[in-house]
């Protein structure tokens, strides 16, 4: 079984778990607190970031999209209509664009800040940047959520799945990011009915189940978080 | 001929130009000032970021690594020993890790800030965020350069090229990022002899030549910038 170093509230790590889950492959999970900068962890990845996959031969594969490309090359290509990527280079480019949108753009404009301020700071020691949340950072991130929800709603309203007719990495990346925000009760679904209908479908997939039972110490999810018919 | 929307001082755009240059394929270049948020530009890429490649059929392909994957899939696979990517999935993961290191991590810790403060702000209107440079941002970015140079020096000292025995995307990504910093005179090469020897080799490649003649209005490069035997 391959091993994933992850944090349950990082969208990039949730994305990798969803992708393996869709292919029915279990991962051994090791929860890592990157801010402690453990020596063994930095030896695996000098950038000090998650996720890290220990692949065949215990070779570390680093970064969400790098892992996704590896997974596609070693498993996905054999999955035919269950493949989470496309055959066509142009379609692959569109899937990569959207995956990057949610795991980099939404991450740096919204998700990362809310996770840091609301989830990590309360448990981080002060020497590692812990302490009381920065309300200006929370406000700025919240102001950006609307644009990302509007874009997701537009995509979900014009396509069956976000990048076209089939479930792809784009859906998993978006769902991973939104699931973190949803846990924190940061999403107002009422205004975004197409996005909500799409998210309900992703959330009902068996691969999503483990994410719905994740809990962060001292921080309960919003009441509808694990509800499949919210 | 394919068209690239770019900015001459963005490492991500330089990386794409180098990759096409290595394959001997010319690109039509359109210089874009992303901060003006031109309507036609945002229609191509709602994220408002560069680079954008107009590929076959004028389909926009967005983002440096997305373009690199597309280039490999449509050209690189036919290039045999000139291919800028590896055949093996594990080696490809290592190349992707390093490419991401320079185009995302070094970018967000160093390059982006120095380009914004020193190159863009003086020419941006105040309404778009222009104005006098933020010296704290410059100081913070400069403090981070040393770590990136040390890591580059370590890679260059232990491998012939950064990701192994052959020139790959990893070298082009690193050279693209360092060339921007070098233009600005931000790199002290004396302490990093292995990195310097490696950079001299990359800089001498024909694909690099167009980058060495790029000039930014009102900001001359450091004296050794275009010197192949600096």
């Amino acid at each position: 079984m391959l091993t994933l170093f992850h944090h349950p509230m990082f969208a990039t790590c949730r994305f990798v778990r969803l992708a393996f889950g869709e292919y029915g492959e279990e991962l051994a999970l090791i929860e890592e607190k990157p801010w402690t900068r453990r020596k063994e962890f930095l030896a695996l990845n000098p950038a000090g970031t998650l996720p890290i996959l220990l692949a065949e031969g215990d070779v570390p594969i680093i970064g969400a999209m790098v892992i996704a490309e590896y997974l596609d090359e070693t498993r996905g290509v054999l999955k035919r209509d269950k493949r989470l990527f496309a055959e066509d280079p142009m379609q692959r480019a569109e899937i990569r664009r959207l995956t990057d949108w949610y795991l980099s753009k939404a991450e740096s404009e919204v998700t990362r800040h809310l996770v840091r301020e609301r989830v990590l700071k309360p448990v981080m020691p002060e020497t590692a940047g812990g302490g009381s949340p920065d309300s200006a950072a929370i406000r700025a991130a919240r102001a950006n959520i609307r644009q990302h929800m509007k874009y997701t709603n537009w995509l979900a309203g014009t396509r069956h799945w976000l990048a076209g007719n089939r479930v792809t990495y784009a859906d998993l990346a978006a769902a991973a990011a939104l699931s973190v925000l949803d846990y924190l009760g940061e999403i107002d679904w009422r205004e975004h009915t197409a996005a909500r209908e799409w998210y309900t479908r992703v959330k009902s997939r068996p691969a999503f189940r483990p994410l719905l039972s994740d809990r962060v110490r001292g921080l309960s999810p919003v009441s509808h978080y694990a509800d499949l018919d919210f």
Side-chain angles (χ1 to χ4, degrees), chain A residues 81-97:
Chain A
D81 56 330
K82 283 191 164 181
R83 189 176 177 186
L84 295 166
F85 227 177
E87 298 284 328
D88 174 69
M90 294 286 189
Q91 285 175 35
R92 269 205 293 282
E94 174 66 357
I95 294 166
R96 288 188 179 110
R97 176 183 79 87

Side-chain angles (χ1 to χ4, degrees), chain A residues 11-226:
Chain A
T12 49
C13 301
R14 291 186 157 220
F15 165 72
V16 173
R17 290 164 67 198
L18 284 174
F20 275 88
E22 285 286 335
Y23 288 160
E25 186 167 346
E26 265 193 83
L27 287 172
L29 294 176
I30 295 181
E31 188 175 329
E32 185 71 42
K33 296 173 172 61
W35 59 89
T36 62
R37 300 185 66 76
R38 245 183 358 113
K39 227 169 119 185
E40 295 78 5
F41 164 62
L42 291 177
L44 285 174
N45 177 14
T49 53
L50 293 173
I52 305 172
L53 179 75
L54 283 193
E56 279 78 14
D58 282 348
V59 178
I61 306 218
I62 289 157
M65 196 58 203
V66 180
I67 294 171
E69 299 279 3
Y70 171 80
L71 179 65
D72 184 66
E73 290 167 355
T74 54
R75 275 87 165 161
V77 288
L78 307 167
K79 294 283 180 181
R80 294 169 170 270
D81 56 330
K82 283 191 164 181
R83 189 176 177 186
L84 295 166
F85 227 177
E87 298 284 328
D88 174 69
M90 294 286 189
Q91 285 175 35
R92 269 205 293 282
E94 174 66 357
I95 294 166
R96 288 188 179 110
R97 176 183 79 87
L98 288 172
T99 304
D100 189 62
W101 184 291
Y102 288 100
L103 300 186
S104 302
K105 187 176 164 67
E107 180 74 12
S108 70
E109 292 175 0
V110 180
T111 329
R112 172 189 304 168
H113 306 289
L114 291 170
V115 168
R116 189 185 57 231
E117 301 303 329
R118 295 196 48 201
V119 181
L120 304 184
K121 272 189 171 180
V123 298
M124 281 160 74
E126 262 189 56
T127 47
S132 42
D134 174 348
S135 57
I138 293 179
R139 251 198 321 277
R142 283 181 177 156
N144 290 331
I145 290 180
R146 279 184 69 86
Q147 289 308 315
H148 287 282
M149 286 308 296
K150 269 173 83 171
Y151 190 53
T152 307
N153 202 54
W154 179 80
L155 288 170
T158 46
R159 302 165 172 183
H160 187 57
W161 296 99
L162 295 193
N165 292 327
R166 291 173 37 230
V167 173
T168 66
Y169 282 149
D171 299 285
L172 306 189
L178 296 193
S179 72
V180 169
L181 298 173
D182 193 43
Y183 185 105
L184 297 173
E186 295 285 355
I187 298 179
D188 183 350
W189 292 103
R190 288 168 306 182
E191 289 176 45
H192 310 287
T193 49
R196 179 184 171 140
E197 188 273 325
W198 159 86
Y199 184 63
T200 310
R201 269 187 292 137
V202 185
K203 198 171 158 177
S204 309
R205 297 175 76 85
F208 216 92
R209 224 162 286 152
L211 273 59
L212 295 179
S213 53
D214 278 349
R215 290 294 176 275
V216 186
R217 201 153 38 114
L219 192 65
S220 301
V222 74
S223 61
H224 67 252
Y225 173 70

